[in-house]
């Protein structure tokens, strides 16, 4: 019986969630990256092996790279983009030589993800990540003060953003700014408004069609190297899955995913299926996406969001919210049985709760909330697997 490879994300030696914690949670794999290496530089074999050895001391494996970041020049196809693509191919070869074969990346311009509240209090007192559209518009229009931002919103939305902004005191405005300018995953630094505005300037004239072509060109260049070395490339969907800050988003829907898989049909070109990111849109049929795209899914992020009609959402408990986790795990188990392979999975964006409330973990990556999510998914998978086995035995006995 093929089962999901249970993993957790680890941000390296400075992460307050230790490798010992992850091992105690029952994981056999770790999802990590070399965050200390500047984006675009080659990942040397020595540094990769050092990280592998750190993880191996706890009887776990480095199962998935998340992420091998794509330099902004590649997304714009400008500046030193060809050098960065060549470096990317060398890093893939180096990872493969060390036995690491699943590499996650994203193609979101400027900001990898966006939340307006990193400490949203749930009814139980646990803290979750939340995206509130009015808060984001207030940040964009009145705190970041992006030039011509009002063109992206209706008059009613601008008025709603103004009301939200006016209701914030100085502390609230500071908290909103800090949340929206959270740095890249694994980074201790926040963006400054000036940095973001400068980066946005570099994407002027790049619409969704241009960005999609640039992604296709990037994959056309790197997939031969990935195929040669047995690498599984896994693109992460947009988070949130719609345009922000005037930037295009091109990995938000099933149609987006299907387009890039069809454009670059290489064996290595695949998906990181994040049920939280895709699930923040009500028009994404999550179980159906696993059914239809399953053979190209190389990595699973299992989490659930609770949406509302205004486009707001927060990270729900793993078995609650809008994602039907039973159906998703059932589809994943069926896919693994059908294709006779195990797929790495990690619980994602757990609540900050219990003893972790007094700590300062990376947003969404406290230990106890993810442990709770992992335990729930583990039990769900076990129950579904046994149910399938029992059904098969009944069918055989009736023949």
């Amino acid at each position: 019986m093929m089962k999901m490879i249970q993993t957790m994300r680890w941000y390296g030696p400075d992460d307050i969630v230790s490798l010992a914690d992850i091992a105690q949670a029952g994981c056999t794999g770790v999802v990590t990256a070399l965050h200390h290496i500047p984006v675009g530089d080659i990942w040397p074999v020595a540094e990769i092996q050092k990280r592998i050895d750190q993880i191996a001391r706890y009887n776990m494996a480095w199962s998935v790279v998340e992420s091998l970041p794509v330099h902004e020049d590649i997304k714009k196809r400008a500046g030193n983009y060809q050098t960065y693509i060549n470096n990317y191919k060398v890093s893939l070869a180096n990872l493969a030589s060390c036995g690491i074969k699943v590499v996650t990346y994203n193609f979101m311009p400027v900001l990898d993800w966006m939340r307006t509240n990193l400490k949203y209090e749930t009814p139980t007192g646990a803290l979750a990540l939340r995206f509130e559209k009015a808060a984001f518009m207030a940040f964009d229009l009145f705190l970041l003060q992006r030039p011509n931002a009002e063109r992206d919103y209706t008059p009613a939305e601008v008025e709603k953003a103004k009301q939200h902004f006016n209701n914030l005191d100085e502390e609230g405005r500071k908290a909103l700014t800090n949340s929206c300018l959270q740095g890249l995953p694994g980074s201790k630094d926040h963006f400054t408004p000036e940095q973001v505005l400068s980066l946005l300037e570099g994407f002027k004239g790049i619409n969704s069609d241009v960005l999609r072509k640039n992604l296709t060109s990037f994959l056309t260049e790197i997939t031969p190297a990935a195929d040669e070395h047995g690498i599984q490339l896994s693109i992460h969907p947009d988070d949130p899955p719609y345009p922000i800050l005037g930037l295009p988003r091109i990995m938000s829907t099933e149609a987006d995913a299907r387009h890039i898989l069809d454009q670059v049909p290489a064996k290595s070109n695949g998906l990181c299926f994040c049920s939280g990111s895709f699930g923040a849109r009500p028009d994404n049929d999550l179980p159906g996406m696993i059914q239809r795209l399953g053979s190209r899914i190389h990595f699973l992020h299992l989490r659930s969001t609770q949406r509302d009609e205004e486009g707001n959402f927060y990270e729900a408990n793993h078995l609650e919210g809008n994602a039907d986790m039973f159906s998703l795990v059932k589809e994943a188990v069926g896919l693994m049985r059908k294709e006779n392979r195990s797929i790495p999975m990690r619980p994602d964006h757990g609540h900050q709760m219990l003893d972790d409330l007094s700590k300062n973990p990376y947003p969404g990556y406290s230990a106890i909330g993810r442990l709770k999510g992992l335990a729930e998914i583990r039990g769900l998978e076990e129950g579904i697997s046994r149910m399938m086995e029992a059904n098969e035995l009944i069918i055989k006995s009736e023949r």
Side-chain angles (χ1 to χ4, degrees):
M1 173 70 72
M2 307 305 293
K3 292 190 175 182
M4 293 185 286
I5 300 168
Q6 297 173 22
T7 73
M8 279 191 186
R9 193 172 193 177
W10 184 58
Y11 284 104
D14 293 333
D15 195 333
I16 67 170
V17 179
S18 68
L19 287 171
D21 296 334
I22 293 173
Q24 289 169 21
C27 293
T28 59
V30 172
V31 176
T32 191
L34 301 181
H35 298 291
H36 60 287
I37 295 179
V39 174
D41 285 6
I42 291 170
W43 285 13
V45 168
E47 289 296 311
I48 296 168
Q49 192 59 54
K50 180 180 178 182
R51 181 58 53 87
I52 289 172
D53 294 343
Q54 288 175 320
I55 295 168
R57 294 189 194 107
Y58 295 87
N59 298 312
M60 296 184 293
W62 185 355
S63 300
V64 179
V65 170
E66 187 178 352
S67 297
L68 182 57
V70 179
H71 196 279
E72 297 301 300
D73 280 3
I74 294 175
K75 298 171 190 175
K76 295 181 291 186
R77 207 158 178 84
N80 294 323
Y81 77 92
Q82 194 61 59
T83 296
Y84 294 127
I85 288 175
N86 293 338
N87 289 353
Y88 207 96
K89 290 189 280 190
V90 175
S91 293
L92 290 178
N94 290 348
L95 286 163
S97 73
C98 295
I100 300 173
K101 297 300 179 74
V102 182
V103 175
T104 304
Y105 68 101
N106 74 71
F107 220 73
M108 290 178 266
V110 182
L111 299 173
D112 275 25
W113 63 296
M114 176 61 67
R115 296 293 186 273
T116 57
N117 189 344
L118 305 180
K119 294 183 179 294
Y120 172 70
E121 188 169 341
T122 67
T124 67
L127 304 181
L129 305 177
R130 174 173 163 81
F131 180 87
E132 182 181 356
K133 190 172 181 181
F136 175 74
M137 292 188 299
F139 163 75
D140 189 14
L141 290 164
F142 306 117
L143 292 170
L144 182 64
Q145 297 182 24
R146 176 171 61 92
N148 302 314
E150 66 279 359
R151 295 177 183 174
D152 292 337
Y153 306 114
T154 66
E157 288 175 326
V158 171
E159 181 59 32
K160 189 171 187 178
K162 186 181 296 184
Q163 291 177 9
H164 186 95
F165 177 76
N166 289 337
N167 288 333
L168 293 174
D169 59 17
E170 192 60 35
E171 192 62 31
R173 293 175 185 180
K174 182 179 178 181
L176 176 58
T177 299
N178 288 339
S179 294
C180 292
L181 296 181
Q182 177 72 34
L184 297 176
S187 170
K188 297 178 182 178
D189 300 323
H190 280 65
F191 286 111
T192 66
E194 294 75 21
Q195 285 174 324
V196 171
L197 290 172
S198 176
L199 289 166
L200 292 175
E201 184 69 22
F203 277 88
K204 267 191 172 180
I206 297 180
N207 59 22
S208 58
D209 289 338
V210 173
L211 188 64
R212 193 172 283 112
K213 288 177 182 177
N214 291 351
L215 172 57
T216 299
S217 297
F218 170 63
L219 287 171
T220 299
E221 292 195 57
I222 68 166
T223 49
D227 286 342
E228 177 185 352
H229 297 291
I231 291 280
Q232 295 179 324
L233 295 167
S234 308
I235 189 168
H236 189 285
D238 302 323
D239 190 6
Y242 32 76
I244 60 171
L245 299 178
L247 295 166
R249 299 289 220 186
I250 59 170
M251 192 52 59
S252 298
T253 66
E254 181 175 354
D256 290 336
R258 174 57 65 194
H259 174 84
I260 202 62
L261 295 177
D262 289 344
Q263 287 292 307
V264 187
K267 182 180 179 181
S268 56
N269 183 27
L271 304 174
C272 168
F273 184 84
C274 180
S275 58
S277 295
F278 281 130
R281 289 181 63 119
D283 54 343
N284 279 330
D285 168 20
L286 301 182
M289 289 174 73
I290 296 180
Q291 291 173 4
R292 293 182 287 273
L293 304 174
S295 63
R296 306 291 287 278
I297 293 173
H298 299 152
F299 185 27
L300 292 163
H301 286 184
L302 295 181
R303 63 180 173 94
S304 182
T305 56
Q306 183 66 55
R307 306 182 304 263
D308 66 25
E309 293 181 356
E310 295 186 12
N312 310 315
F313 64 87
Y314 68 89
E315 310 286 352
N317 286 309
H318 282 70
L319 300 187
E320 300 171 9
N322 296 114
D324 180 353
M325 197 60 67
F326 173 83
S327 295
L328 296 182
V329 174
K330 184 171 179 287
E331 291 297 337
V333 171
L335 172 64
M336 291 186 296
R337 287 164 63 88
K338 177 183 175 182
E339 299 190 354
N340 193 35
R341 65 183 175 107
S342 293
I343 302 175
M345 170 278 298
R346 68 173 179 86
D348 203 4
H349 295 185
H351 288 174
Q352 190 173 346
M353 59 195 301
L354 304 177
D355 290 352
D356 281 343
L357 287 169
S358 62
K359 300 175 183 177
N360 188 32
Y362 191 82
Y365 290 92
S366 56
I368 299 172
R370 287 187 292 160
L371 170 63
K372 178 175 178 285
L374 178 64
E376 291 169 340
I377 292 169
R378 179 188 293 137
L380 198 56
E381 181 186 20
E382 184 69 17
I384 289 169
S385 295
R386 292 194 178 199
M387 178 184 69
M388 287 183 174
E389 289 175 340
N391 288 341
E392 287 176 353
L393 288 174
I394 291 172
I395 292 171
K396 286 181 180 177
S397 67
E398 291 176 347
R399 286 174 179 170

